[in-house]
Amino acid sequence: MENQIFKAMVVQETAEKKFNRKIANKSVSELPPGDVLIKVKYSSLNYKDALSASGNKGVTRNYPHTPGIDASGIVEESISADFKPGDKVIVTSYDLGMNTSGGFGQYIRTPVDWVVKLPSGLSLKESMIYGTAGFTAGLSVHKMIHTIKPEHGEILVTGASGGVGSMAVSILSKCGYEVVAVSGKTEEKGFLTDLGAKEIISREDATDVSGRPLLKRRWAGVIDTVGGDILATAIKSVKQGGTVTCCGNVASPDLPLTVFPFILRDVSLLGVDSQNCAMPLRLKIWNKLAADWKSDHLVELSSEIGLDDLDDHIELILKGKKKGRTIINLA
Ligand SMILES: NC(=O)c1ccc[n+]([C@@H]2O[C@H](COP(=O)([O-])OP(=O)(O)OC[C@H]3O[C@@H](n4cnc5c(N)ncnc54)[C@H](OP(=O)(O)O)[C@@H]3O)[C@@H](O)[C@H]2O)c1
């Protein structure tokens, strides 16, 4: 197997802060050591992949590099008794696609601790329609629904047409919550209502510029994927005892707030880190995604591309212009 040649996206640093991407041949022998060699069938495009593919050294320190934080495929070789050749598996998170050659190549090799057996109820393709974005949406919902039930009121989802946001809208509506979606894409109203959003509001309407520390109470819960002023506005508008989850920073890493929503309204702000989620909870979330939370719209949420199309889609996601999920067919 070590001499097996395969196709992969390779990002190279051509000069200081200058990067280019191409589809090239690699050899399995170039992959890092690991317990499980996987033939990748599908990957997916996440915002973090676009950062890695454009030379963001906060995500990927060393180039040349093959991005792709998500992969699903078939075990080809395993030195662990937990997996055998032919098993269908998912790998997301940990270091895949960051500083370990990732799912934008036809083979990956990883530690056994990163590998999840494909749950029954999901195909390899469906698992990548979820990918890290769907998993993160699931983790966010899991954290919120401990305390917030559908009868408590509306849930706000920000960055709603993006990967995590669209998946969160879908899961919440499947669970019976009334979802209000914040989106910068007015043209995607139909997409979001089809997913189950009952109302769509613009980013401008979701951003308070008054500077007031507290706003009119509206949301029972918030699933935020963007950070910055939209997250701060949402927190100031949460009802007594409400819960907010925070996973992303596409708008800004800043959070201009006072402590008042927390000390006067008992609001909880919960962080979400899918990358380091412990395996028992990881398996629980994947099993939920494969069953109770499985979207009736999973395929509509996604578009499928090949490795050769990936470059254009990386540019689109960096500009915040993509909707839903993009999966990459590695065949
Ligand atoms: N913590 C974790 O474990 C974890 C895991 C996965 C992702 N993330 C983070 O979560 C965020 C979303 O990831 P994703 O994969 O869903 O990305 P994505 O597919 O690019 O979606 C982000 C969405 O945010 C909205 N948006 C873009 N630019 C914006 C801006 N300047 N201001 C306000 N809204 C903006 C857009 O939706 P609308 O046009 O509909 O507004 C966009 O589609 C990223 O920051 C990512 O790094 C974190």
Side-chain angles (χ1 to χ4, degrees):
M1 261 331 282
E2 290 302 297
N3 294 328
Q4 174 76 42
I5 301 295
F6 66 91
K7 287 207 181 306
M9 170 173 274
V10 177
V11 184
Q12 279 177 312
E13 188 164 15
T14 51
E16 206 187 336
K17 294 192 178 157
K18 293 254 181 269
F19 295 84
N20 78 15
R21 302 187 277 266
K22 63 178 181 193
I23 306 304
N25 285 332
K26 285 176 76 169
S27 156
V28 165
S29 61
E30 293 173 59
L31 293 174
D35 308 314
V36 187
L37 177 69
I38 298 163
K39 184 165 190 178
V40 180
K41 296 290 184 189
Y42 291 96
S43 182
S44 86
L45 179 60
N46 297 276
Y47 190 73
K48 202 187 237 179
D49 296 316
L51 295 177
S52 170
S54 50
N56 184 310
K57 298 232 170 162
V59 178
T60 299
R61 285 186 302 277
N62 299 311
Y63 295 85
H65 172 63
T66 295
I69 63 172
D70 291 341
S72 67
I74 312 277
V75 173
E76 195 99 3
E77 291 177 353
S78 171
I79 58 169
S80 160
D82 294 343
F83 295 96
K84 59 178 188 323
D87 283 350
K88 291 181 176 171
V89 293
I90 306 169
V91 182
T92 64
S93 315
Y94 304 100
D95 192 48
L96 188 72
M98 294 180 67
N99 292 289
T100 299
S101 189
F104 294 174
Q106 291 170 318
Y107 283 88
I108 56 169
R109 184 157 46 201
T110 73
V112 67
D113 302 346
W114 299 3
V115 184
V116 168
K117 203 168 184 230
L118 185 74
S120 63
L122 270 192
S123 66
L124 288 173
K125 179 172 169 169
E126 288 172 331
S127 72
M128 287 297 101
I129 297 177
Y130 282 124
T132 290
F135 179 79
T136 305
L139 196 53
S140 306
V141 170
H142 168 81
K143 291 199 169 199
M144 202 191 70
I145 65 180
H146 277 307
T147 48
I148 307 300
K149 307 296 173 199
E151 60 272 21
H152 291 147
E154 298 166 313
I155 309 298
L156 185 74
V157 175
T158 66
S161 75
V164 181
S166 59
M167 289 288 170
V169 173
S170 162
I171 297 168
L172 286 166
S173 66
K174 178 98 190 174
C175 295
Y177 289 86
E178 280 194 11
V179 182
V180 176
V182 178
S183 181
K185 302 185 188 79
T186 43
E187 71 282 8
E188 296 306 345
K189 207 170 172 173
F191 171 72
L192 290 164
T193 45
D194 286 351
L195 286 180
K198 70 154 203 181
E199 184 183 341
I200 289 92
I201 57 178
S202 68
R203 290 184 200 163
E204 292 70 31
D205 287 346
T207 308
D208 174 70
V209 288
S210 72
R212 282 186 294 155
L214 289 168
L215 299 166
K216 191 170 170 224
R217 297 168 167 90
R218 177 158 182 196
W219 316 117
V222 178
I223 304 268
D224 178 70
T225 72
V226 304
D229 289 329
I230 291 180
L231 173 57
T233 303
I235 292 172
K236 293 180 200 176
S237 313
V238 170
K239 297 199 284 192
Q240 197 74 24
T243 296
V244 180
T245 69
C246 155
C247 75
N249 61 351
V250 283
S252 168
D254 295 335
L255 189 52
L257 265 186
T258 66
V259 296
F260 292 120
F262 309 109
I263 65 174
L264 297 180
R265 290 186 182 169
D266 203 15
V267 171
S268 300
L269 175 60
L270 305 179
V272 175
D273 172 13
S274 62
Q275 193 184 353
N276 299 299
C277 173
M279 194 47 93
L281 178 56
R282 185 175 292 277
L283 296 176
K284 187 172 174 179
I285 300 293
W286 274 115
N287 283 322
K288 285 274 199 191
L289 292 170
D292 313 1
W293 292 349
K294 187 169 175 185
S295 167
D296 304 329
H297 308 275
L298 211 49
V299 174
E300 293 150 49
L301 275 169
S302 71
S303 54
E304 185 172 322
I305 60 169
L307 266 184
D308 290 334
D309 312 312
L310 195 44
D311 202 57
D312 293 343
H313 289 262
I314 287 169
E315 291 305 321
L316 283 176
I317 201 168
L318 283 172
K319 291 179 186 139
K321 290 201 167 148
K322 285 203 63 68
K323 103 177 165 186
R325 299 279 297 138
T326 299
I327 58 167
I328 300 106
N329 184 337
L330 276 293

